[in-house]
Amino acid sequence: MTKSILPNSTIGIIGGGQLGQMMAFEAKAMGYKVIILDPQENCSAAQVSDDQIVANYDDLEKLIELAKRCDVLTYEFENVDAKAINEVKKYTQVPQGTKALSVTQNRVSEKDFIEQSGFQTVPHVVIKNIFEYHRGIEKLTAPVILKTIRGGYDGKGQILIEDPDDVCYADIEELLMQGPCMLEKKINLKKEVSVVVSANSDGQTSIFPIIENVHRHNILHLSTCPAQLSEQASQHIYQVGETLAKELELVGTMCIEFFVSDDDEVFVNEIAPRPHNSGHLTIEACNISQFNSHIRGVCNLPMPEVELFKPALMVNLLGQHLENAKAELNLHPEWNFHDYGKDAIKENRKMGHITVLSDNLTQAKQAIENNPIWRV
Ligand code: ADP
Ligand code: MG
């Protein structure tokens, strides 16, 4: 049994975006002190924390300073340098370790890991140049999606190739200049779902009900819970969640994204070794949120069984939505409104979200879809 890190101890969080902010809210509510490391002064997470170290994520000296000042260190995003984490481990506990980080930072090792664990990924090939690109297209047949192997998020670093005779080679060359890429068969999606799992250092887990996700322009738009799935698909997805948590020696929260094809086949898309946008609805809809379970995990507190109190829907507020949503906030008592307090409003930047609890999800969804706020 690993010792628990109790309230009044200090938690250091690398990364100060909305995920760090929601982790900090939970930690503060439980009585922990929180220090954020982020290059942006007064970032989202720092606004609700005790202190901030303003530094780049790869500034080893500052990371060591953070480590020395806290009892436990965690991170809110996957592009933390695993080498730096190993270095700061000398000064404080980093229970999340680096296995989940290093496996998921790279689409190739991520897909290999999923397959080695016995689960299905979409057909894919790794390509290093235009010659291999053509071979890949022949093998997979269009439509395909070209993706960078590292650093992609919200569809960034991706090119959809519907018709190989009508592609912009300059765009493809540009992605390839960044290093090897992955060519993936585009699946006819019936739906996309995700499952959030958390674990503590003693190996206890909390697994959240499956969430159904709708993306727009590759950015998450709407999540609903519970997901509408066959019993068989659900069982399979929970099994993937439990198995991958064990294999990755998970501590804290992770989320696994899935594709469900037209003929009900389940493919594992990718793994986020941190809380996930689709899990935001757990804040209001469940007995514990994905952030609460993350803090429990890294502090090695007991992991409760998750209960969904009420069906829920979460819709993102991007830069183009935020001000309009605020303007009609007083019309919507049903909205649980979240604004991350980011300084710059940019198109397609995640600025906040709204969660609605409802016994009639179809109706709640309709209300969002009919609202002009989300038509842009
Ligand atoms: P990111 O790292 O940007 O989240 P993803 O691989 O999850 O990248 O892709 C973003 C979205 O693009 C997915 O959620 C899905 O809607 C769509 N997409 C990606 N790959 C495929 C695929 N092989 N088939 C169908 N849709 C896909
Ligand atoms: Mg994704």
Side-chain angles (χ1 to χ4, degrees), residues 4 29 44 80 82 106-107 111 120 129 149 177 179 196 206 238-239 259-260 265 290 295 301 307 315 339 342 346 372:
S4 298
S44 301
V80 189
N106 176 310
R107 286 194 198 274
K111 285 212 166 36
Q120 182 167 244
N129 50 46
I149 281 172
M177 295 246 289
V196 175
S206 292
Y238 286 124
Q239 197 205 333
F259 296 144
V260 182
E265 249 184 306
Q290 62 167 346
I295 299 297
L301 299 178
E307 237 184 289
V315 60
D339 179 339
K342 293 185 184 175
K346 285 190 206 142

Side-chain angles (χ1 to χ4, degrees), residues 6-9 11 13 18-34 36 45 48-50 74 208 253 275 279-299 301 304 338 353:
L6 294 174
N8 201 32
S9 308
I11 301 174
I13 305 178
Q18 63 266 30
L19 301 178
Q21 185 187 56
M22 289 182 269
M23 285 178 190
F25 274 133
E26 290 292 343
K28 290 303 299 170
M30 291 164 84
Y32 291 96
K33 298 195 181 73
V34 179
I36 305 295
V48 303
S49 297
D50 295 277
T74 181
F208 289 78
T253 293
H280 292 357
L281 53 75
T282 60
I283 294 174
E284 286 93 2
C286 299
N287 55 328
I288 53 165
S289 72
Q290 62 167 346
F291 303 101
N292 180 285
S293 59
H294 181 79
I295 299 297
R296 284 170 178 273
V298 296
C299 292
L301 299 178
H338 298 249
H353 72 269

Side-chain angles (χ1 to χ4, degrees), residues 259-290:
F259 296 144
V260 182
S261 76
D262 274 341
D263 36 15
D264 239 6
E265 249 184 306
V266 176
F267 300 89
V268 181
N269 173 26
E270 58 176 357
I271 307 164
R274 51 163 174 81
H276 191 260
N277 193 170
S278 64
H280 292 357
L281 53 75
T282 60
I283 294 174
E284 286 93 2
C286 299
N287 55 328
I288 53 165
S289 72
Q290 62 167 346

Side-chain angles (χ1 to χ4, degrees), residues 107 147 153-155 158 192 215 218 257 269-270 276:
R107 286 194 198 274
K147 300 183 181 181
Y153 69 99
D154 287 346
Q158 298 193 13
E192 289 189 66
H215 292 78
N218 291 345
E257 297 177 11
N269 173 26
E270 58 176 357
H276 191 260

Side-chain angles (χ1 to χ4, degrees), residues 50-120:
D50 295 277
D51 202 0
Q52 176 180 8
I53 295 173
V54 180
N56 284 328
Y57 311 119
D58 58 357
D59 184 334
L60 192 57
E61 206 176 303
K62 294 290 181 186
L63 284 168
I64 290 173
E65 182 191 326
L66 176 67
K68 284 182 174 166
R69 288 178 60 189
C70 62
D71 300 291
V72 61
L73 194 63
T74 181
Y75 46 82
E76 61 131 30
F77 66 110
E78 58 268 49
N79 292 320
V80 189
D81 183 12
K83 272 210 288 280
I85 296 287
N86 281 325
E87 192 58 34
V88 299
K89 269 201 325 222
K90 294 178 197 153
Y91 305 96
T92 192
Q93 298 184 49
V94 194
Q96 273 163 294
T98 49
K99 184 163 183 193
L101 263 188
S102 41
V103 167
T104 60
Q105 271 173 351
N106 176 310
R107 286 194 198 274
V108 183
S109 57
E110 183 174 52
K111 285 212 166 36
D112 288 350
F113 165 75
I114 293 163
E115 286 173 357
Q116 280 155 20
S117 305
F119 305 117
Q120 182 167 244

Side-chain angles (χ1 to χ4, degrees), residues 181-200:
C181 289
M182 182 170 282
L183 205 53
E184 249 182 58
K185 178 83 183 162
K186 182 169 184 278
I187 300 294
N188 270 333
L189 297 177
K190 185 158 77 184
K191 55 182 69 187
E192 289 189 66
V193 299
S194 54
V195 71
V196 175
V197 196
S198 305
N200 66 12

Side-chain angles (χ1 to χ4, degrees), residues 117-358:
S117 305
F119 305 117
Q120 182 167 244
T121 63
V122 295
H124 59 275
V125 292
V126 180
I127 61 162
K128 291 195 278 305
N129 50 46
I130 284 287
F131 173 71
E132 292 181 1
Y133 162 80
H134 286 295
R135 275 213 315 229
I137 293 275
E138 260 170 49
K139 184 168 170 210
L140 298 174
T141 70
V144 295
I145 305 174
L146 186 65
K147 300 183 181 181
T148 52
I149 281 172
R150 284 174 177 275
Y153 69 99
D154 287 346
K156 290 191 172 59
Q158 298 193 13
I159 301 173
L160 170 65
I161 297 147
E162 300 261 24
D163 175 2
D165 294 332
D166 182 24
V167 294
C168 174
Y169 282 102
D171 290 348
I172 293 173
E173 292 277 17
E174 200 188 313
L175 276 205
L176 282 166
M177 295 246 289
Q178 297 171 35
C181 289
M182 182 170 282
L183 205 53
E184 249 182 58
K185 178 83 183 162
K186 182 169 184 278
I187 300 294
N188 270 333
L189 297 177
K190 185 158 77 184
K191 55 182 69 187
E192 289 189 66
V193 299
S194 54
V195 71
V196 175
V197 196
S198 305
N200 66 12
S201 305
D202 286 342
Q204 293 174 348
T205 56
S206 292
I207 190 156
F208 289 78
I210 301 168
I211 299 159
E212 199 164 321
N213 302 314
V214 177
H215 292 78
R216 276 196 190 162
H217 313 297
N218 291 345
I219 304 172
L220 183 65
H221 165 56
L222 190 103
S223 294
T224 49
C225 186
Q228 300 299 309
L229 284 171
S230 67
E231 186 55 31
Q232 199 187 354
S234 297
Q235 286 313 322
H236 178 68
I237 286 164
Y238 286 124
Q239 197 205 333
V240 173
E242 294 280 5
T243 308
L244 296 190
K246 210 165 274 147
E247 301 262 329
L248 286 173
E249 295 153 26
L250 175 72
V251 176
T253 293
M254 74 166 178
C255 178
I256 307 165
E257 297 177 11
F258 297 85
F259 296 144
V260 182
S261 76
D262 274 341
D263 36 15
D264 239 6
E265 249 184 306
V266 176
F267 300 89
V268 181
N269 173 26
E270 58 176 357
I271 307 164
R274 51 163 174 81
H276 191 260
N277 193 170
S278 64
H280 292 357
L281 53 75
T282 60
I283 294 174
E284 286 93 2
C286 299
N287 55 328
I288 53 165
S289 72
Q290 62 167 346
F291 303 101
N292 180 285
S293 59
H294 181 79
I295 299 297
R296 284 170 178 273
V298 296
C299 292
N300 201 38
L301 299 178
M303 305 302 294
E305 187 166 332
V306 181
E307 237 184 289
L308 180 73
F309 288 147
K310 217 178 165 123
L313 156 167
M314 189 269 343
V315 60
N316 268 334
L317 293 171
L318 304 180
Q320 61 269 40
H321 307 137
L322 183 70
E323 290 306 320
N324 292 337
K326 268 202 258 186
E328 61 174 71
L329 186 52
N330 55 356
L331 301 176
H332 296 283
E334 76 283 13
W335 283 3
N336 292 285
F337 183 83
H338 298 249
D339 179 339
Y340 310 140
K342 293 185 184 175
D343 59 344
I345 300 187
K346 285 190 206 142
E347 195 179 336
N348 288 338
R349 185 178 193 201
K350 290 173 181 170
M351 306 300 295
H353 72 269
I354 288 168
T355 301
V356 177
L357 305 187
S358 170

